[in-house]
Every structure is written in C-alpha cells, then in structure tokens.
C-alpha cells in the first residue's frame, strides 16, 4: 500500500476536528446506527498500545436496570462532590450539567485489562500503567472518529471504579477507565461548556514548550 500524502486542506480539516471535539452533555434521543458504532470501535482499535497489547475492553450498557444503577451512583457522587466547594463555587457547580446519562441513547463503559497476555509484557516492566494510557488513547481515537460522523461523546468521570465494576460484573483484573455517553448532540459548539459557564478557561501557557 503506498504511503498517503495528506493535503494542506486535510491538515486544516484535521485541526478543525480537534478544535470542534467537545465533551457533549446534551443529546438527541435518536440512536446511532449499529454499523457506525462498529466503525467507531474499529477506529478505536487502531490506537497505539504498549507492546501492541490492545488492553481496551468496550462494553455497550443497554440494560435499563444497569443504566439506572449507574445514574443513581452518579447522582450520589455528584452530590458529595458539590459539598467539597465553598458556597459560591458550590452554586456554580450545582448549575453545571455534568452528564448526559438521561439523554444519551448509548452508554459505553471502557475498561483496561491490567496485564493482558497479548503483547507479552513488552514495555510494561517499568511502567505497567501504560496499559491504562493505551486505553485512553483508544478512547480519544473513538471520540475524534465520532465527531467526524457528527456524533457527540461525553465522559462521565464522577463514578467510583469499584462500584461500576460491581454493577457491570467485569473481571477483577480490568481497570475502569471511562463511562461514555454517546449520541447525536442537541447543538454544536466550539467553546467548551465549562468555559461558557465560567467554571474554567484554557491556559495559553499549556501551548508553550517547557525547555530544559
């Protein structure tokens, strides 16, 4: 297969894809076709992984009872998190929409096998956590591919890993990495919602090299 030559137009569009990737929390109820979800998983599987171990494990959470348990767990943890802030920030926190669990047509839980046989341990002796990093790379690949299809992804991070593992009855040697809400966004915006709401803003220093 010949090495592809990427045009300037493609490079510009790729930068736009990165810029328009957002953490989506407002979803339409319309489901995504299964063949598109399968394509997103295929792209996710192209991500780099330590020793070619491909430690990621994607679970479609489709059972209503399981989704309800996850949502109840989120509510509990979200209320606890709010108590960690002073009154003014607590009010701002309470006004944030931090998940699309009730809206998104698809819930996807992502785990990482701690020590997969695939890859034969290559590259993991000094940094075994690189299996988790590899799974995060896979999630980001899934996310960008979804955005290219006009599909939104929201990462629900306010969940305790042990309880999620228990609810979904996964093997003990799987690390919980992410719970994703997936579906078509109600609206598109290039500005992060947390920035729009005044919670935080991007730091231009993060676009500069640290030179030593």
């Amino acid at each position: 297969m010949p090495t592809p030559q990427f045009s300037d137009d493609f490079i510009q569009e790729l930068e736009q894809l990165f810029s328009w990737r957002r953490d989506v929390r407002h979803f339409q109820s319309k489901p995504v076709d299964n063949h598109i979800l399968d394509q997103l998983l295929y792209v996710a599987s192209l991500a780099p992984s330590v020793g070619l171990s491909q430690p990621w494990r994607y679970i479609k959470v489709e059972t209503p009872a399981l989704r309800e348990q996850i949502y109840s767990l989120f509510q509990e943890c979200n209320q606890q998190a709010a108590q960690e802030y002073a009154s003014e920030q607590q009010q701002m926190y309470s006004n944030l929409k931090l998940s699309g669990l009730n809206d998104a047509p698809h819930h996807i839980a992502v785990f990482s096998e701690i020590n997969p046989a695939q890859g034969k341990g290559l590259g993991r002796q000094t940094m075994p956590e690189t299996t988790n990093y590899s799974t995060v790379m896979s999630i980001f690949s899934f996310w960008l591919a979804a955005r290219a299809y006009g599909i939104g992804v929201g990462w629900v991070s306010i969940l305790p890993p042990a309880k999620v593992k228990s609810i979904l009855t996964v093997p003990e040697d799987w690390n919980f990495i992410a719970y994703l809400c997936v579906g078509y966004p109600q609206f598109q915006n290039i500005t992060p919602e947390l920035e729009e709401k005044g919670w935080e803003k991007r730091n231009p220093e993060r676009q500069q090299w640290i030179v030593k």
Side-chain angles (χ1 to χ4, degrees), residues 7-158:
S7 67
D8 290 341
D9 287 343
F10 175 85
I11 293 170
Q12 184 176 8
E13 289 180 347
L14 181 61
E15 184 175 330
Q16 288 179 335
L17 177 63
F18 278 89
S19 298
W20 279 89
R21 181 220 51 83
R22 295 273 61 85
D23 192 336
V24 175
R25 302 181 180 97
H26 306 267
F27 293 91
Q28 302 176 36
S29 59
K30 174 187 174 182
V32 178
D33 288 344
N34 282 329
H35 78 275
I36 296 179
L37 289 175
D38 291 344
Q39 180 64 20
L40 298 184
L41 183 58
Y42 166 73
V43 172
S45 73
L46 299 177
S49 61
V50 59
L52 197 55
S53 57
Q54 296 184 291
W56 46 81
R57 306 290 181 263
Y58 284 75
I59 297 178
K60 282 184 183 177
V61 183
E62 298 182 338
T63 305
L66 294 179
R67 288 191 180 199
E68 182 58 36
Q69 289 183 66
I70 294 292
Y71 181 63
S72 296
L73 187 59
F74 165 79
Q75 286 184 304
E76 176 187 338
C77 295
N78 195 36
Q79 291 170 2
Q80 292 174 355
Q83 303 308 311
E84 299 296 321
Y85 296 100
S87 56
E88 184 177 339
Q89 278 195 325
Q90 187 176 122
Q91 182 60 48
M92 185 181 293
Y93 180 93
S94 299
N95 291 333
L96 296 174
K97 181 176 172 57
L98 297 178
S99 88
L101 290 168
N102 280 340
D103 307 325
H106 306 285
H107 291 196
I108 298 175
V110 188
F111 294 83
S112 187
E113 188 172 348
I114 295 172
N115 190 28
Q118 184 174 333
K120 305 176 183 64
L122 180 67
R124 289 183 249 153
Q125 288 79 7
T126 56
M127 294 182 66
E129 65 272 21
T130 48
T131 51
N132 289 342
Y133 302 159
S134 299
T135 298
V136 173
M137 292 290 288
S138 173
I139 292 169
F140 193 55
S141 299
F142 180 100
W143 204 324
L144 287 176
R147 180 62 191 87
Y149 278 92
I151 296 164
V153 176
W155 187 324
V156 184
S157 59
I158 310 173

Side-chain angles (χ1 to χ4, degrees), residues 149-170:
Y149 278 92
I151 296 164
V153 176
W155 187 324
V156 184
S157 59
I158 310 173
L159 292 169
K163 291 186 178 180
V164 174
K165 289 178 65 173
S166 176
I167 290 171
L168 299 180
T169 59
V170 301

